[in-house]
Amino acid sequence: MTTPHVLSIQSHVVRGYVGNKSASFPLQVLGFEVDAINSVQLCNHTGYSHFAGQVLQASDFETLVDGLKRNSLTSDYTHVLTGYVGSPSFLEGVCQAVKEMKQTNPNLTFVCDPVMGDNGKFYVPESLLPIYRDQLIQYADIITPNQFEAELLTGVSIKTKDDALLAIEKLHNRGCNVVIITSSNLSGSDDSLLLLGSSRNGETMEVSIPMLPAVFVGTGDLFTALMLAWLHKGESLSSACQKTLSCMQTVLARTLQHAQERAGTAKPNAGQLELRLIQSKDVIENPPAGVCQPTVLQRSL
C-alpha cells in the first residue's frame, strides 16, 4: 500500500505547537509522510508577550514549489493541507499551485482550513477573504471554517442551526465534498461549543464540545490534520469527528493539568499551555471511545 503524502502549507513556530508544528506530528504518527511549507515563521505563537519572525511572500512560496516541480516531486502528493497564511500574494500562489496540482492529479485531496478570524474579528488581512471565497475554496474537497469564517465565505449570518446548514449547503454547492463548521455558539450553553458537519453524500451531524477553562492555541490546526487522517482511512464523517474530538479533548485535558501543575496558584501562561502532543502519542493513535459522540441529523443536504 502506498504511504499517503501530505503537502502542508501553514505557519511555523520555533517553540511550541501551532500550524505545521501542530499538524505534522499527528499525521506522521498516523502513517502519513508530511512535507511542510511555512507561510510565516515566528519564534513562538502570538499569544506570548513577545513574538518576532517573518511573513513569507509569493516569491518565497513560488521558489519552493518550482524546486519541487523541477524534481518532479509534486505529483507524489495525495493531499494538500492549508492553514494560516498571512500574505495575500502568498495565498494567491497557493491557489495557483493547488489548481495545477489538481489538474495533474485529479485524485489529489485538498483540505482547506480558511483561517481568517473568530468571534467577529479578523486576525489576517481582510484582503485574504476574496481570495479564499472567490478563488481557493472551489478546489477544496474538505473545508473546516469556524462560524465566523463560514459567514464570511457564504454571506449567511449564522444565528441558528438552520442558518449553519444553509451555509454548509452553499459551500457544498461550491464543490466542497465535506464541510465542517468546527466551532459555533449554537450549543445553547456557555460551557460548550457546537460543531456541525456534512458530507455531500448525505450524512449531516452535530457534536457538542465541552469547553475547558483555558485558552489553547493550535487546536484548529490539530483538528484539521486529524480529520484529514481519519477520513483518508475510510472513517465516516461522524466516526472521524468522534475520533478527532476525543483525541483533542484528551490532549487538552492533559495540557491543562500539566499547565496548572507548573503554574501553581498562578494562572497558567502561554508557554505552560503549549499542547502536550508528544506526550499524547497514545491517544493520537488510539482515540478513546465514548467522548464527544456525534448526533446524526435527519436533514440531508
Side-chain angles (χ1 to χ4, degrees):
M1 181 181 294
T2 302
T3 301
H5 205 148
V6 179
L7 177 62
S8 180
I9 306 167
Q10 45 190 318
S11 60
H12 170 76
V13 288
V14 177
R15 178 68 176 265
Y17 293 96
V18 299
N20 277 324
K21 287 281 291 289
S22 187
S24 295
F25 177 71
L27 284 168
Q28 289 166 333
V29 165
L30 291 170
F32 290 72
E33 294 279 4
V34 182
D35 296 344
I37 293 179
N38 302 326
S39 59
V40 301
Q41 52 184 17
L42 302 174
C43 56
N44 44 252
H45 69 68
T46 57
Y48 283 77
S49 58
H50 174 76
F51 61 91
Q54 299 82 35
V55 176
L56 281 72
Q57 303 299 321
S59 59
D60 303 306
F61 177 76
E62 290 163 3
T63 296
L64 296 172
V65 173
D66 182 63
L68 292 171
K69 289 193 291 189
R70 286 175 181 269
N71 289 311
S72 302
L73 297 176
T74 55
S75 60
D76 292 343
Y77 295 116
T78 58
H79 298 75
V80 173
L81 168 63
T82 59
Y84 180 92
V85 172
S87 158
S89 70
F90 191 103
L91 189 60
E92 288 177 337
V94 171
C95 290
Q96 184 61 32
V98 171
K99 177 182 178 181
E100 292 177 1
M101 292 171 69
K102 279 216 163 233
Q103 288 172 342
T104 303
N105 177 14
N107 293 321
L108 179 80
T109 299
F110 174 38
V111 182
C112 177
D113 184 2
V115 180
M116 289 182 283
D118 202 2
N119 298 315
K121 296 182 180 179
F122 280 89
Y123 40 64
V124 299
E126 293 187 26
S127 54
L128 268 66
L129 170 57
I131 304 172
Y132 277 115
R133 184 190 61 215
D134 303 332
Q135 299 181 48
L136 189 58
I137 66 170
Q138 65 181 308
Y139 303 115
D141 299 285
I142 302 168
I143 190 167
T144 58
N146 59 33
Q147 179 176 349
F148 176 58
E149 292 157 349
E151 291 178 329
L152 292 173
L153 292 172
T154 64
V156 176
S157 177
I158 299 175
K159 306 296 184 185
T160 66
K161 289 183 187 179
D162 283 343
D163 295 335
L165 293 171
L166 176 59
I168 287 171
E169 186 172 11
K170 285 179 176 288
L171 290 169
H172 278 320
N173 291 339
R174 294 293 308 276
C176 304
N177 291 324
V178 174
V179 181
I180 304 167
I181 298 179
T182 57
S183 61
S184 75
N185 59 13
L186 302 175
S187 68
S189 169
D190 293 335
D191 299 324
S192 64
L193 298 170
L194 188 71
L195 176 151
L196 294 111
S198 170
S199 64
R200 196 146 55 166
N201 294 333
E203 185 183 23
T204 304
M205 40 74 64
E206 64 179 35
V207 189
S208 179
I209 308 170
M211 295 176 65
L212 295 174
V215 176
F216 302 98
V217 179
T219 53
D221 311 316
L222 176 60
F223 175 89
T224 303
L226 291 172
M227 284 299 301
L228 181 161
W230 290 116
L231 288 171
H232 176 79
K233 290 175 180 290
E235 300 289 342
S236 68
L237 177 61
S238 294
S239 177
C241 279
Q242 193 278 324
K243 288 178 180 290
T244 294
L245 292 172
S246 294
C247 172
M248 289 185 61
Q249 286 294 303
T250 306
V251 170
L252 296 182
R254 290 180 178 181
T255 299
L256 181 58
Q257 180 180 1
H258 177 75
Q260 290 172 334
E261 289 172 354
R262 291 182 61 193
T265 58
K267 181 180 179 180
N269 61 33
Q272 292 162 341
L273 285 166
E274 291 284 5
L275 297 179
R276 301 283 283 174
L277 286 183
I278 307 303
Q279 299 80 5
S280 300
K281 177 176 177 290
D282 58 330
V283 296
I284 293 171
E285 293 178 295
N286 296 293
V291 181
C292 294
Q293 289 292 337
T295 299
V296 177
L297 303 178
Q298 293 299 313
R299 177 174 174 177
S300 203
L301 297 181

